[in-house]
Amino acid sequence: FASIKRVDRNRAVNVTASVDASVTSAGAVIADLETRILPEVLAGFPSVFYTFEGMMAEQQESITGLQRGFVLALLMIFALLAVPLKSYVQPLIIMSAIPFGLVGAIWGHLFMGLDVTMMSMFGIVALSGVVVNDSLIMVDFINRKRALHADMGMAIREAGINRFRPIMLTSLTTFFGLAPLMADRSFDAAFVVPMAVSLAFGVVFATFITLILVPTSYLILEDV
């Protein structure tokens, strides 16, 4: 997974390895190389440089593309929310649940004893579009209640009470729909289990945050 080259003699030394998953992971080995071993090599031989090839190069390329796609997805979500809501700030309130969804995804991996993989990252990108649903339900209900009466406090309280069950059901059905996949320990399912964990745990964690964060953020915004 690594290629080390001597520039002055125009020679390359290719180093490859197969990692025993029961002992360590490729990510841990490469992190140790970058923090402990390779700096010592470069300090002793200034003319040497290294590049990661093979699967690591492909993974880095995928991560770069995923980052660009994630930013583009956030911009598209913001635009799709700003137009019907006729506000530039309310979409930010709705999208504030996304970071908490990411936290829930990481906690889900820790709870399930899984490493964060590329499929986990794909699940996190998909999660960004899912967690905004609960916040959108809450904000839309508050806006409609404000149109009926001008009392902001009453509108927010009614939204919290009336939207609690739909929001909880939306999240729980998503979680339990993915539960059989997360519980599957077969070799064929192992590839997509991290993505399911990101979606399921991210949605549930963001839901409990949404029920508190969105109404209070809306109220703070009105105070400002």
Side-chain angles (χ1 to χ4, degrees):
F1 48 78
S3 175
I4 303 176
K5 298 182 179 181
R6 286 291 300 270
V7 178
D8 52 351
R9 298 183 182 179
N10 196 25
R11 294 188 303 177
V13 179
N14 296 320
V15 181
T16 61
S18 298
V19 180
D20 186 354
S22 62
V23 178
T24 185
S25 65
V29 173
I30 291 177
D32 184 54
L33 281 172
E34 291 185 316
T35 58
R36 185 173 60 89
I37 298 175
L38 291 175
E40 296 179 2
V41 174
L42 298 179
F45 303 92
S47 60
V48 174
F49 72 93
Y50 68 91
T51 59
F52 290 103
E53 305 294 343
M55 291 182 60
M56 288 307 303
E58 295 176 1
Q59 182 176 344
Q60 187 61 42
E61 183 179 354
S62 299
I63 291 176
T64 301
L66 195 63
Q67 290 173 343
R68 290 196 296 265
F70 184 61
V71 173
L72 181 60
L74 293 179
L75 293 176
M76 291 296 294
I77 292 173
F78 180 85
L80 290 172
L81 293 174
V83 172
L85 293 176
K86 298 179 182 179
S87 170
Y88 292 113
V89 182
Q90 288 187 7
L92 297 179
I93 297 177
I94 295 173
M95 295 174 66
S96 64
I98 293 177
F100 296 98
L102 305 184
V103 174
I106 300 300
W107 282 7
H109 281 76
L110 294 175
F111 178 77
M112 298 293 292
L114 299 174
D115 293 328
V116 177
T117 64
M118 279 300 301
M119 293 304 295
S120 303
M121 304 303 293
F122 285 122
I124 288 174
V125 173
L127 174 67
S128 303
V130 176
V131 297
V132 301
N133 294 339
D134 295 338
S135 302
L136 178 58
I137 292 173
M138 181 75 73
V139 170
D140 179 68
F141 194 88
I142 294 175
N143 289 338
R144 287 192 282 117
K145 285 298 181 180
R146 286 190 64 188
L148 296 178
H149 48 75
D151 189 347
M152 172 61 66
M154 184 181 296
I156 289 178
R157 284 192 297 271
E158 290 183 4
I161 295 172
N162 290 280
R163 296 296 92 186
F164 177 82
R165 184 168 59 180
I167 289 175
M168 289 298 298
L169 288 176
T170 300
S171 300
L172 291 178
T173 51
T174 302
F175 180 85
F176 287 108
L178 293 168
L181 180 58
M182 292 188 294
D184 195 339
R185 291 295 179 264
S186 65
F187 178 78
D188 295 331
F191 186 65
V192 295
V193 166
M195 182 173 64
V197 170
S198 294
L199 277 171
F201 283 89
V203 166
V204 170
F205 185 79
T207 295
F208 290 102
I209 298 297
T210 296
L211 293 171
I212 300 174
L213 178 68
V214 172
T216 54
S217 299
Y218 201 115
L219 191 60
I220 291 172
L221 174 64
E222 289 301 314
D223 290 340
V224 172

